[in-house]
Amino acid sequence: MLPSWVDGPAKSAIVEFVSAVTTPGGRGFVAPEDRVAVFDNDGTLWCEKPAYIQLDFLVRRLAEQAAADPELAAQTPYRAAAGGDLAWFGDAVTKHYNGDDTDLKTLAAAIFSAYQGLTVEEHAQRVAAFFTDAQHPSLGRAYTDCGYAPMIELLRFLEGNGFTNYIASGGGRDFMRPVTQRMYGIPPERVIGSSVGLDFTDGQLRTSNRPEFLDDGPVKPVRIWGRVGRRPIFAAGNSNGDIAMLDYTRGGAAPSMALLVAHDDAEREFAYATGAEEALERAAAQGWTLASMRDDWSRVFP
Amino acid sequence: MLPSWVDGPAKSAIVEFVSAVTTPGGRGFVAPEDRVAVFDNDGTLWCEKPAYIQLDFLVRRLAEQAAADPELAAQTPYRAAAGGDLAWFGDAVTKHYNGDDTDLKTLAAAIFSAYQGLTVEEHAQRVAAFFTDAQHPSLGRAYTDCGYAPMIELLRFLEGNGFTNYIASGGGRDFMRPVTQRMYGIPPERVIGSSVGLDFTDGQLRTSNRPEFLDDGPVKPVRIWGRVGRRPIFAAGNSNGDIAMLDYTRGGAAPSMALLVAHDDAEREFAYATGAEEALERAAAQGWTLASMRDDWSRVFP
């Protein structure tokens, strides 16, 4: 079991936890219906560097909108998208952290109106088409092969032990759904994520330009309860945005486990801790299990 | 199969539809993962007269709050609740329909603050305790025995044919969840309903005083997509608030069926069409299947 995990503390902790909650009559036994596991996606199940995969999808859409409308093409962020100036998008976020929200607000407006009017089915078709041929910019593999092999094995291991796996991601719910079954064995009804509001008109659900959920930080536990109606007993994340979900999972009466993926493998993936500083501190202070990509995984990608 | 359904057009329509979507190689075949069925709850799966069951739960809570706080006890709606004046609550709704929103607004504020500060687990315990002994005021049975036997048989029939059943109700999501598994075989993760906002603090999810969703009318399809990520192929409702859900279900490419429960049985349940006028017209005009409680059901309750 878990062949891509190195024998060591992370793998042992997983195996021992699963053994404890599945041993009938044991003190840590948890009924199968309460074996709920939640996984962040970006940086936890699939690669999030050099940029979120969804940003690639978005930039292509903005370029498409620019190509169809010369007036838009002259404006940010459409001009940046059409010109392949991906740095603009990164800079918008950096500026935001430095107290200048101008570009991020412009970007947000573009994001929320990017799919306006499309039915949910049309949107799903676009996502599926994107994943048919889009490649990671540096890893030399399709995005659909950028899921972490050890985490996919973990999903199967939990499932084989009566767990039900959910994704709880800050990424777009309807961006992930078309590929989660194929990549992770997780069907659309178990994908929780951020969303743009939908309108029901003429028998169809159409994308609006209103934000609905940003499924990050303390919103994650709220959305997990809203969707599942049970407190998870296993949670995996990789960033500060996952702390609340990990806390929630660890705060119940049943035995529970929190797993934090550490991106410390510059050779096989990327090495970074920006945005995970507090999560890494909390892992050390509160006994969350750390999965070091470098030390705990014998391979990273399938 | 479906022993509480009289042999007739409604039962035939159900059996023929299920046969068509489950016959391998047939023109109407639908893959099991796409066999999603959605059910309204109040008036569709359980009795909603003389008042919503949830209103009984709420009035008891308001009376409890009044008993603990003399200042509250002097105000509406707490005074009405403490004095057992249930007519006040019905009048608030009637006044609203007559253009006077004063009482309904007072009531709404009381509803949204009724459980403020309770954790979701504490709330679930209160609901479970309520259903342990609360009785229907006139039918002489526990509320948990007020589910319609023919509809419960229908849930089992669909399930046995590879369908996945969801509740999509205007009723409170977290009010229904503690009993849906026992009454309907529907687990909490498949209950979609109205909700009050939750706050995540100190590792716990606590009820706020902010409305979140009113899961009725055009909100139903939006919430169904948000939760399921698939368009249902079967939907059952009983009122105007279900029209959008029934339209959505009928508007897809796959074969689909819409069922409308008609409350026309004053002897065994209640006879009323208020709030269902448009739905009944639409059923006749668009070929939705009508389930007459009087004519199509050989028994109503278990």
Side-chain angles (χ1 to χ4, degrees), chain B:
Chain B
M1 67 184 106
L2 301 175
S4 302
W5 290 76
V6 172
D7 289 325
K11 180 171 176 174
S12 295
I14 293 168
V15 172
E16 279 163 26
F17 170 72
V18 170
S19 170
V21 300
T22 57
T23 301
R27 284 191 55 190
F29 182 77
V30 175
E33 62 267 26
D34 290 320
R35 292 180 204 155
V36 171
V38 289
F39 290 81
D40 172 57
N41 188 38
D42 295 296
T44 299
L45 292 180
W46 75 17
C47 180
E48 64 177 351
K49 293 292 176 189
Y52 294 127
I53 297 175
Q54 192 170 356
L55 183 63
D56 188 350
F57 179 68
L58 174 73
V59 169
R60 291 173 195 225
R61 170 64 176 164
L62 300 182
E64 179 190 58
Q65 291 179 299
D69 182 345
E71 221 171 291
L72 270 189
Q75 300 164 27
T76 47
Y78 304 93
R79 192 173 48 209
D85 178 14
L86 294 187
W88 185 91
F89 296 88
D91 289 349
V93 177
T94 307
K95 281 184 189 170
H96 158 74
Y97 283 121
N98 293 333
D100 175 4
D101 260 358
T102 327
D103 283 355
L104 198 66
K105 279 183 179 165
T106 308
L107 178 57
I111 290 174
F112 292 126
S113 64
Y115 309 103
Q116 196 176 356
L118 291 184
T119 67
V120 291
E121 289 88 358
E122 287 165 351
H123 185 265
Q125 282 164 7
R126 285 169 168 265
V127 174
F130 168 78
F131 278 110
T132 301
D133 53 24
Q135 299 277 319
H136 188 280
S138 66
L139 290 172
R141 49 176 61 238
Y143 280 135
T144 47
D145 290 326
C146 287
Y148 303 131
M151 296 304 285
I152 295 168
E153 291 168 9
L154 175 56
L155 291 168
R156 293 293 79 73
F157 178 63
L158 292 172
E159 199 174 84
N161 282 282
F163 280 75
T164 305
N165 298 318
Y166 289 80
I167 288 176
S169 167
R173 178 191 69 201
D174 290 347
F175 176 70
M176 297 180 281
R177 278 173 162 171
V179 289
T180 52
Q181 177 69 52
R182 181 165 34 128
M183 290 184 67
Y184 308 132
I186 295 180
E189 59 267 28
R190 289 197 257 122
V191 175
I192 308 169
S194 299
S195 53
V196 175
L198 300 173
D199 293 317
F200 183 68
T201 44
D202 302 328
Q204 303 298 329
L205 288 171
R206 291 179 191 280
T207 311
S208 78
N209 64 351
R210 305 182 308 276
E212 190 184 45
F213 297 117
L214 178 60
D215 192 43
D216 199 39
V219 177
K220 286 199 181 195
V222 173
R223 300 315 314 150
I224 290 168
W225 177 266
R227 292 282 292 274
V228 186
R230 309 180 196 266
R231 189 194 287 252
I233 64 166
F234 182 97
N238 77 298
S239 79
N240 298 339
D242 299 316
I243 291 173
M245 174 174 80
L246 295 162
D247 271 342
Y248 179 53
T249 299
R250 294 287 283 139
S256 60
M257 177 167 178
L259 183 73
L260 194 74
V261 174
H263 291 268
D264 53 6
D265 193 331
E267 205 167 308
R268 297 184 300 178
E269 203 237 14
F270 297 91
Y272 59 98
T274 306
E277 303 85 347
E278 194 190 338
L280 289 161
E281 280 171 28
R282 294 287 300 280
Q286 291 178 285
W288 297 349
T289 299
L290 207 69
S292 156
M293 295 183 82
R294 186 188 53 210
D295 301 334
D296 290 309
W297 292 0
S298 59
R299 60 173 189 158
V300 173
F301 295 110

Side-chain angles (χ1 to χ4, degrees), chain A residues 97-296:
Chain A
Y97 283 120
N98 294 332
D100 176 5
D101 261 358
T102 327
D103 282 357
L104 197 66
K105 280 184 177 163
T106 309
L107 178 57
I111 290 174
F112 292 125
S113 65
Y115 309 103
Q116 196 177 356
L118 291 184
T119 67
V120 292
E121 289 88 357
E122 287 164 351
H123 184 265
Q125 282 163 8
R126 283 168 169 265
V127 174
F130 168 77
F131 278 110
T132 301
D133 54 20
Q135 298 277 318
H136 188 280
S138 66
L139 291 171
R141 49 176 61 239
Y143 280 135
T144 47
D145 290 327
C146 287
Y148 304 131
M151 297 302 286
I152 294 168
E153 291 169 10
L154 175 56
L155 292 168
R156 292 294 79 71
F157 178 62
L158 291 173
E159 199 174 86
N161 281 282
F163 280 75
T164 305
N165 298 318
Y166 289 81
I167 288 175
S169 168
R173 178 191 69 201
D174 290 347
F175 176 69
M176 297 180 282
R177 277 173 163 170
V179 288
T180 54
Q181 178 69 51
R182 181 165 34 125
M183 289 184 68
Y184 310 130
I186 296 180
E189 59 268 27
R190 288 196 257 122
V191 176
I192 308 170
S194 298
S195 52
V196 175
L198 300 173
D199 293 317
F200 183 67
T201 44
D202 301 328
Q204 302 298 328
L205 287 171
R206 291 180 191 279
T207 311
S208 78
N209 64 351
R210 303 181 310 276
E212 190 183 44
F213 297 117
L214 178 59
D215 192 42
D216 199 39
V219 177
K220 286 199 180 194
V222 173
R223 300 315 313 150
I224 289 168
W225 177 266
R227 292 282 292 276
V228 186
R230 308 181 197 265
R231 189 195 288 251
I233 64 165
F234 182 98
N238 77 299
S239 79
N240 298 339
D242 300 317
I243 291 174
M245 174 174 80
L246 295 163
D247 271 343
Y248 178 54
T249 299
R250 294 286 282 138
S256 59
M257 179 168 178
L259 183 74
L260 193 74
V261 175
H263 292 269
D264 53 7
D265 193 332
E267 205 167 307
R268 296 184 300 179
E269 203 235 14
F270 297 91
Y272 60 98
T274 306
E277 302 86 347
E278 194 191 338
L280 289 162
E281 279 170 29
R282 295 287 300 280
Q286 292 178 284
W288 298 349
T289 299
L290 207 70
S292 157
M293 296 184 81
R294 187 188 53 208
D295 301 333
D296 291 309

